Amino acid sequence: MGGLVSASVAVGIAPSYAIIEDPTNAGISDEDWAKFVQLGDYNGALAEFVDDDGVPEMLFPAGSTAPANLQYPADWTPWTTFGLYAAWDSQFTGMTEISAIEDNAVTTILNAGFDAGASFNPEEDTVVVVTSAPSSVTAPLVTTYGGKIRIIAGSGAAQSAAGGTSDDSPKKHSGKKHAKKYFTKKEASAKPVRKAPAPTGK
């Protein structure tokens, strides 16, 4: 999925987990962002993005050794316009699993007669499903996928990218997101994490 994964909303106030869509808004040059994406892709990242604190992040498949042991391309040159970054592993094994959950959730809801839109939010590390379906339809999906899926009440047709809609409640899901984002980056969990100055070489 290399490259920036955007987060957007249909209407209303952007949710607290919004991703910074343009790295230059966080003071990161286009050249340095390309290097960051190159490094992530070289190590098999699921996504590279800038979080809402302006910190570049790489998200890797579950169980990846890359966050603690990044490998560098032969033509690697370090970036210069940012320092700290974060690299951590997802709860998903890869895009195949993510796509399967998205497809199953949307198909299930459409078959029940309601609209739905699904996308992956890498900062929150969940499949976000926006739908008008009642909980009687969506509850089985949550039972099946647990914390891997997040249901937001709204129009599935209005969802243009990961991030939700104005119907989302920031309080409803903030606990999991902030535990993942902030505690992990402070190395307060067992997950392999790297948060360090920009690499200087191989």
Side-chain angles (χ1 to χ4, degrees):
M1 176 186 285
L4 179 67
V5 178
S6 65
S8 63
V9 293
V11 289
I13 299 173
S16 60
Y17 55 82
I19 295 169
I20 295 176
E21 296 187 38
D22 184 350
T24 60
N25 291 338
I28 301 170
S29 70
D30 290 338
E31 181 182 8
D32 279 353
W33 180 249
K35 293 175 183 178
F36 189 73
V37 170
Q38 177 195 23
L39 186 61
D41 289 356
Y42 187 79
N43 285 273
L46 290 175
E48 301 91 2
F49 59 94
V50 180
D51 70 15
D52 54 8
D53 291 324
V55 177
E57 297 198 24
M58 298 176 190
L59 178 65
F60 293 92
S64 172
T65 60
N69 186 31
L70 290 177
Q71 303 299 305
Y72 298 93
D75 60 347
W76 171 254
T77 57
W79 52 73
T80 60
T81 54
F82 65 92
L84 295 180
Y85 69 101
W88 49 288
D89 60 334
S90 172
Q91 63 178 327
F92 298 95
T93 57
M95 290 307 302
T96 299
E97 180 186 8
I98 292 168
S99 295
I101 294 174
E102 290 175 338
D103 292 345
N104 184 51
V106 170
T107 299
T108 297
I109 294 170
L110 291 179
N111 287 343
F114 301 93
D115 63 4
S119 57
F120 177 55
N121 186 306
E123 184 181 15
E124 189 181 64
D125 196 29
T126 56
V127 170
V128 178
V129 178
V130 181
T131 179
S132 60
S135 60
S136 59
V137 174
T138 59
L141 292 170
V142 175
T143 298
T144 298
Y145 298 116
K148 293 184 175 182
I149 196 169
R150 173 177 177 185
I151 307 297
I152 297 175
S155 171
Q159 184 190 36
S160 59
T165 73
S166 60
D167 297 301
D168 188 21
S169 168
K171 294 181 181 179
K172 187 174 182 182
H173 302 280
S174 62
K176 175 183 181 298
K177 181 256 176 178
H178 286 292
K180 165 73 74 174
K181 176 182 172 189
Y182 294 107
F183 292 116
T184 297
K185 287 165 63 177
K186 290 180 179 177
E187 302 187 16
S189 81
K191 283 189 171 294
V193 173
R194 177 178 181 135
K195 182 174 181 182
T200 56
K202 295 180 235 182

